[in-house]
Amino acid sequence: MSHIQNEIKRITATLPTNVRLVAVSKYQPIEKLMDAYACGQRLFGESHAQELKQKHECMPKDIEWHFIGHLQTNKVKYIAPFVSMIHAVDSYKLLCEINKQALKVNRIIPCLIQIHVAQEETKFGFTPEECKWFFQHEDWKNLKNVRIKGLMCMATNTNDAHIIREEFHKAHALFQEIKNTIFVDSEDFSECSWGMSDDYPIAIEEGSTLIRVGSNIFGARM
Ligand SMILES: *Cc1c(COP(=O)(O)O)cnc(C)c1O
């Protein structure tokens, strides 16, 4: 078994049944993705629209592709025909564009709302307050070609596990609050996307259902 396959087996073996591994393959060559595919991995995450489009075109069609990075509105059209989930919706404008492009190809695209809980200023996403405002006031219910499935976040890039845990905890509390107020009559709101190579064990303890792991599996990116 290759290193990639070993890592996938090792990580997958530790996951509770409600948590899925998104193998983050951005900047990695097709051969490495195919190595992961060969041991059964079917869920991949990419963060550049054109790269994702190319990989989708030349890889097996039973792969579920998640877009995990910052998505510019003018790039949505490249991925709308096939993407299985868009993780980092950080504005109502982007959600409207995803809806528009999904309508064109007659699809309903599952989306996650990105929230900003980390200390870094540069990270994208809604603050918890903006997120609540969004769900209470924006016209998202009328966007029939997107389905909001949950929340996504990134923790501060730090070695301090307490800070990371606190941020994921805050994200999960917000998730629960929105689920129990806005989505009381719906099963749609069920996904929490947090946890990367360095912090996914903490993320799982703090309610994650989708961990996005790249370098642990594929090694350093090109
Ligand atoms: C690159 C990336 C990851 C994976 O990061 P690793 O540290 O390599 O596991 C996860 N989430 C997002 C949004 C990313 O851009």
Side-chain angles (χ1 to χ4, degrees), residues 119-193:
Q119 291 169 353
E120 287 111 326
E121 301 236 326
T122 54
K123 299 267 167 79
F124 295 100
F126 294 89
T127 65
E129 289 66 35
E130 289 166 344
C131 182
K132 284 187 234 177
W133 196 95
F134 167 88
F135 279 108
Q136 285 160 8
H137 299 281
E138 290 287 17
D139 229 6
W140 58 274
K141 279 185 186 163
N142 291 325
L143 304 177
K144 299 300 182 198
N145 291 77
V146 291
R147 187 151 296 148
I148 298 180
K149 296 285 296 175
L151 302 180
M152 176 269 195
C153 77
M154 278 189 268
T156 300
N157 188 6
T158 170
N159 291 325
D160 189 337
H162 295 288
I163 293 176
I164 294 169
R165 185 179 295 282
E166 220 168 82
E167 291 171 353
F168 288 151
H169 196 82
K170 202 168 159 187
H172 194 247
L174 179 65
F175 169 82
Q176 288 294 356
E177 184 182 340
I178 293 168
K179 187 173 177 58
N180 295 335
T181 52
I182 312 287
F183 289 90
V184 263
D185 300 319
S186 160
E187 299 290 304
D188 285 350
F189 203 72
S190 56
E191 300 283 9
C192 295
S193 169

Side-chain angles (χ1 to χ4, degrees), residues 24 26 47 68-69 152 154 196-197 212-215 221:
V24 176
K26 62 187 181 196
S47 59
I68 61 165
M152 176 269 195
M154 278 189 268
M196 315 193 343
S197 287
R212 310 178 309 265
V213 179
S215 37
R221 286 177 277 272

